[in-house]
Amino acid sequence: MPFIRSLCIASLFSVSATPVLAATYGPELQGFQYPYPLQHFTFQSQGKSLQMGYMDVPATGTANGRSVVLMHGKNFCGATWEGSIKALSSAGYRVIAPDQIGFCTSSKPDHYQYSFQQLATNTHQLLEKLGIQKATVIGHSTGGMLATRYALMYPEQTEQLGLVNPIGLEDWKALGVPYQSVDQWYQRELKMSAEGVRKYERDTYYVGRWKPEYERWVDMLVGLNKGPGHLQVAWNSALIYDMIFTQPVYYEFKDLKVPTLLLIGTSDTTAIGKDVAPPEVKARIGNYQVLGKQVAKLIPHATLVQFPGLGHAPQMEEPEQFHKALLQGMNAH
């Protein structure tokens, strides 16, 4: 039976200020400042020369010889792991934080067959190039689905799996969420606004609360989507949403062979397509209070750490308490 542990989290204060988006960024997020030096990995995939942006941060504390790969979510980037990179590096880990193809500082090809297998393969090639033979792989949100796929494909190269409020803890299409075509997702992405992103993230990710430091990430996401490459960015984003909806990892949690740390903010309500779901479907999806416990029972070697009252991004809401729990979980392995 997985071990379940609850952590008491202090409440946050809401912030009503809503600054107006001022910046736009290039199609590979040119102009947005990353917290650590950005490097690029060029490789061939599906007949194209592509590049992945990534940060490779050495241990600043006493090096322990271990490496950690951080996989970002759909509305996030490698940069949003800033606090986690600092905490892990200070604890002695080498930290790799890539941007996946289609996201942030990486290529956004005209035509690409998106699959979690393909993104995992791309990441594995990056790690081979960096000489990393084994790593702890931590995924947040959509990155949790990718990290799960990576661990299923490369169990020998995965020392430990960490899932931070991953999406995909349920199969939305099987539960009755209507399918949306790539064209429909594309039209939605073209309409992105700072106000809309802020409201969605506040209501869904942060349990109705807002902190001024979240504005930087709204600026990053909307600035990319409103920049000179906005059509290409929106199209790739639509393809990625289709991948997320149609390629569940839920049925393979039982097949994971690596020790898995589930870090769950229990008040998260994220579910793809929730806004277009019938009321009776909407009412029963995205319940992380329940989903975390259910999936912890499906994964053979799972440890569940719950953050009561926190939402989709506990590493950003309460970083000190989150990183304490993360490092404890990694050291327990």
Side-chain angles (χ1 to χ4, degrees), residues 19-61:
V20 177
L21 181 79
T24 57
Y25 303 110
E28 294 179 359
L29 207 52
Q30 294 94 334
F32 184 85
Q33 184 64 43
Y34 264 44
Y36 296 92
L38 183 68
Q39 303 182 60
H40 291 92
F41 169 52
T42 302
F43 64 105
Q44 295 293 315
S45 177
Q46 299 184 21
K48 300 174 178 64
S49 178
L50 302 175
Q51 67 169 18
M52 290 175 69
Y54 69 95
M55 292 174 286
D56 182 358
V57 181
T60 55

Side-chain angles (χ1 to χ4, degrees), residues 311-331:
H312 190 58
Q315 77 277 23
M316 296 159 71
E317 286 186 275
E318 288 288 349
E320 185 176 340
Q321 295 185 58
F322 173 84
H323 293 124
K324 181 180 178 181
L326 173 64
L327 291 168
Q328 285 177 347
M330 292 172 68
N331 290 332

